[in-house]
Amino acid sequence: MSLVRGIQRLTPADDAASVRPLRLVLLALLLALLPLALEGPAQASHRSAAPSAVATFPSSRSIPPTGPIAGGSGAISLNTAIGEREGAWIVVRGATQISRSLAVAGLAPVGVEVDWAHYVSFDGKLVPDALLPWDGVTRPAERSNQPLYVRVTVPREARPGTYRGQVIVQADGRNVTVPLTVKVFPVVLPPAGVARGNMLTSFHLSPETYVNTASALYGFGSNEERSAANRALYSWLATYRISPASWGFGEPRSTAGYEGSNRWWLDSAGNMRQQLEPGRFATLRVPISNNHQRRPIAGMSPSAPETWCPYLRSVHAFWSAHGWLASTVPYVYGVDEPGAAGQKLVARQAAATHGCFPGGRQLMTGRPSASNRYLWDGRRKDDLDIWVVLLRRWYGRFTSPARQVTANRARENLRYIDAVRRRGKMVWSYLYTGVPGTPGFRAVEPLSNPRMYLLWNALEGTDGVLYGQGTTNYRASVSPLDRVDRGGEFVLFYPGRAAPIPSARLEQIRDGLEDAALLNMVRRTRGPAAVRTILGGSGLFSANARGVELACTMGCALKRPHAYAWPVWSHDASTGWRIEDAKAKALKLAARSSRGS
């Protein structure tokens, strides 16, 4: 702005003809300098020193393949709890060859990894989504903006304090030192495999597709390699706090329940033991099919729950004998998005689950209403235990002007959600691509969106999240590391040789689950108003201590061009810094509460 004003002072209107050449020279100078002004001081200073530039960004910041990226820094500073992982981006601009080394003696016992962000094509849009393991050896940059993902892991034995190290990036022979500071607060996150205190999860996946795709990509030549890939998949999912909605090769093949076999892919008992070590997952899906599965698991039809009892008792006995039920939530997900007739079936399924699987919960995707009160009236043993409500239908929708005087529907759905909560039922959320207005998991959305979805769950205090779109729906003819269709909605991680390769989105999902566990602590000790104050005060949602302000087409406190009522939420270049600000506030408040107790 000051540069433009300077040009105006040099070119007074009363002598336009004499200064026209000067105008052209200065205009050319302005256009040459404008990219540096847009980049911000950190990037501009690097660029002036050398052709390549190095800058850091919050982990939830979207990184384009080309062009300047505003708002960067020259260092990484992370705030974490004990038992948490956290990350950040280093972006190298304009380099052709990149390597890195670490100086981490001052970080012990905090662990540090640096992944290479590989660009994948999503419907023709390049996104640095696949985070490849990298030992730091020289690699050619894939695009003019080459992101590196820095991940720190704070083990449970770490003590509170400030830890310091360095990431040394070599870009075309020039070393750039990036200081790395990790402040560990006296706050301990609950272990991933414990239900209490955590945001519960259920994510659909196909282990068979994962193993087959990994085998094709990396040329597995033996059944042991395939079996090892399956074992690695489940142990890796646990590190991301993701509970699988399928046990794949560990699902019973007959009504007799779990059986052994010398062919590993038929060994349901052996595979289940390897996949489900005690304490690994906080939620356990009881192997009963729902209405979308063509071949019912173990031959048990979801439409005939009255026949389930011997099978359910067999599964329960096997799980109980191995100690898998002590601190988890087992659930049956027997019908997805049912209509009126399907909800009557859910009541019958719930009766079978409650009668034949002690401690089992019945889950359904759908919202409570006056018409399905029989599923939450507490009169019989057929109540639904876990209501999973579609994200955009959580609150309600717009009200036409003709009805606004007599009825406002902006919070119509929320009233029933609050009613089932008062009766002790769990309420989760789920999402998929549909009408705009809420965040999702697609790679073509802002990278902050997956984390904002989990933070919204923390804002509303939901008990869990379900993702039924899939995480491993790879195309048979194309490597997912090259191209993924449908915006990446059905792929959240990639096949790896030794273990799965995370997406940048999955990092945000795990970070969001950890954020939710942290904010659960704040909610328990300070109340929901404190959570709203943190998330609203950081500019992430239209919320404050009094409540959540909703936006919709009409009939809401705020106006937005969407039919469904939902809070205004941040999803621009500032969101990453807002998330970091909210995280620091939550940690400080949780630490004070911990000292007070």
Side-chain angles (χ1 to χ4, degrees):
M1 186 65 72
S2 60
L3 180 59
V4 174
R5 286 199 297 268
I7 293 175
Q8 291 172 342
R9 287 196 295 271
L10 289 170
T11 57
D14 58 351
D15 196 13
S18 63
V19 298
R20 186 173 295 114
L22 180 59
R23 276 188 179 148
L24 295 176
V25 171
L26 291 171
L27 181 59
L29 177 62
L30 173 62
L31 293 175
L33 293 177
L34 187 58
L36 296 182
L38 291 175
E39 287 180 355
Q43 294 91 327
S45 63
H46 283 303
R47 192 171 205 177
S48 63
S52 59
V54 176
T56 68
F57 299 88
S59 65
S60 57
R61 177 66 184 272
S62 295
I63 309 298
T66 60
I69 313 171
S73 176
I76 296 173
S77 181
L78 301 174
N79 297 296
T80 76
I82 295 169
E84 184 178 12
R85 293 185 179 189
E86 193 57 81
W89 289 117
I90 296 176
V91 179
V92 184
R93 289 195 59 213
T96 57
Q97 299 291 322
I98 302 170
S99 61
R100 64 92 183 140
S101 59
L102 298 171
V104 296
L107 284 166
V110 174
V112 183
E113 303 168 86
V114 180
D115 289 347
W116 181 273
H118 169 62
Y119 281 89
V120 179
S121 175
F122 295 90
D123 303 327
K125 179 181 179 180
L126 287 174
V127 181
D129 190 59
L131 304 182
L132 305 179
W134 183 39
D135 58 7
V137 300
T138 302
R139 294 189 60 151
E142 296 186 15
R143 293 294 183 272
S144 60
N145 289 336
Q146 179 57 58
L148 314 174
Y149 189 82
V150 180
R151 183 189 302 107
V152 302
T153 302
V154 182
R156 305 194 76 79
E157 66 268 20
R159 298 180 65 84
T162 300
Y163 300 81
R164 291 183 173 85
Q166 296 175 338
V167 180
I168 300 96
V169 177
Q170 188 175 70
D172 291 337
R174 171 176 171 255
N175 284 339
V176 178
T177 298
V178 178
L180 171 59
T181 303
V182 181
K183 184 175 181 180
V184 179
F185 284 74
V187 176
V188 182
L189 288 189
V194 174
R196 181 175 173 79
N198 277 315
M199 178 71 65
L200 304 180
T201 60
S202 174
F203 277 52
H204 175 67
L205 77 153
S206 172
E208 298 87 348
T209 300
Y210 175 85
V211 171
N212 289 338
T213 306
S215 180
L217 284 176
Y218 302 106
F220 294 162
S222 67
N223 284 331
E224 175 51 37
E225 287 179 294
R226 298 181 186 94
S227 176
N230 182 65
R231 294 194 301 271
L233 167 64
Y234 281 91
S235 62
W236 181 87
L237 284 172
T239 66
Y240 280 83
R241 297 179 177 262
I242 298 297
S243 295
S246 169
W247 302 115
F249 299 104
E251 288 177 346
R253 302 178 62 83
S254 74
T255 57
Y258 292 96
E259 298 174 311
S261 174
N262 57 7
R263 291 178 288 181
W264 79 268
W265 60 94
L266 300 179
D267 184 9
S268 62
N271 283 317
M272 195 63 179
R273 282 192 292 266
Q274 292 173 347
Q275 293 168 183
L276 192 58
E277 294 173 1
R280 176 171 283 179
F281 299 112
T283 53
L284 306 176
R285 183 181 178 182
V286 178
I288 291 284
S289 298
N290 67 30
N291 50 310
H292 290 317
Q293 291 173 271
R294 292 192 298 270
R295 295 182 180 178
I297 297 170
M300 304 305 300
S301 171
S303 61
E306 291 77 13
T307 67
W308 291 358
C309 210
Y311 171 75
L312 287 178
R313 287 174 175 160
S314 174
V315 171
H316 186 276
F318 187 81
W319 286 14
S320 182
H322 288 86
W324 297 337
L325 296 171
S327 58
T328 61
V329 174
Y331 66 96
V332 172
Y333 177 18
V335 183
D336 180 57
E337 296 187 329
Q343 291 183 8
K344 293 289 187 181
L345 172 60
V346 168
R348 292 163 50 206
Q349 291 180 342
T353 299
H354 298 152
C356 305
F357 197 103
R361 317 279 184 98
Q362 190 72 30
L363 177 151
M364 180 188 82
T365 48
R367 59 183 176 85
S369 65
S371 63
N372 58 29
R373 190 180 297 271
Y374 61 88
L375 280 174
W376 49 278
D377 59 9
R379 293 181 179 178
R380 291 176 292 275
K381 293 184 178 180
D382 61 355
D383 272 16
L384 184 65
D385 304 289
I386 305 174
W387 294 84
V388 188
V389 180
L390 184 61
L391 179 64
R392 62 177 175 270
R393 293 177 181 160
W394 183 269
Y395 299 101
R397 55 182 300 149
F398 83 98
T399 306
S400 65
R403 294 188 58 190
Q404 284 184 29
V405 176
T406 58
N408 189 306
R409 299 189 295 171
R411 298 180 187 269
E412 183 177 50
N413 299 345
L414 185 59
R415 288 193 287 270
Y416 288 104
I417 290 172
D418 289 340
V420 299
R421 279 176 154 174
R422 287 192 295 270
R423 292 178 179 269
K425 314 302 183 185
M426 282 188 174
V427 183
W428 296 16
S429 74
Y430 74 111
L431 77 162
Y432 56 80
T433 298
V435 298
T438 54
F441 288 172
R442 296 185 306 158
V444 293
E445 298 180 41
L447 181 55
S448 58
N449 275 12
R451 193 155 177 182
M452 289 296 292
Y453 168 60
L454 274 305
L455 286 170
W456 172 83
N457 279 273
L459 178 73
E460 287 294 345
T462 71
D463 299 292
V465 295
L466 179 147
Y467 192 64
Q469 298 303 86
T471 55
T472 56
N473 291 0
Y474 312 127
R475 287 186 57 183
S477 59
V478 180
S479 167
L481 289 166
D482 293 331
R483 191 179 83 220
V484 175
D485 297 332
R486 293 182 287 191
E489 184 175 20
F490 295 85
V491 173
L492 292 183
F493 55 89
Y494 304 87
R497 182 181 296 276
I501 296 167
S503 67
R505 292 166 291 147
L506 192 66
E507 295 288 337
Q508 291 307 302
I509 291 170
R510 189 212 52 234
D511 287 347
L513 292 169
E514 292 175 340
D515 293 342
L518 173 62
L519 289 165
N520 274 342
M521 298 180 190
V522 174
R523 183 181 297 273
R524 287 198 304 270
T525 57
R526 302 293 181 117
V531 175
R532 292 194 297 267
T533 298
I534 290 171
L535 298 177
S538 296
L540 294 173
F541 298 98
S542 53
N544 53 46
R546 295 185 300 275
V548 177
E549 289 189 294
L550 300 180
C552 63
T553 309
M554 57 185 68
C556 292
L558 304 172
K559 193 170 180 62
R560 288 293 186 273
H562 305 299
Y564 291 96
W566 220 69
V568 176
W569 51 287
S570 179
H571 47 287
D572 58 20
S574 71
T575 307
W577 295 113
R578 296 179 188 277
I579 290 173
E580 298 301 321
D581 179 66
K583 175 77 176 294
K585 291 176 180 175
L587 282 165
K588 291 175 184 176
L589 199 56
R592 287 201 295 268
S593 298
S594 177
R595 286 194 294 267
S597 62

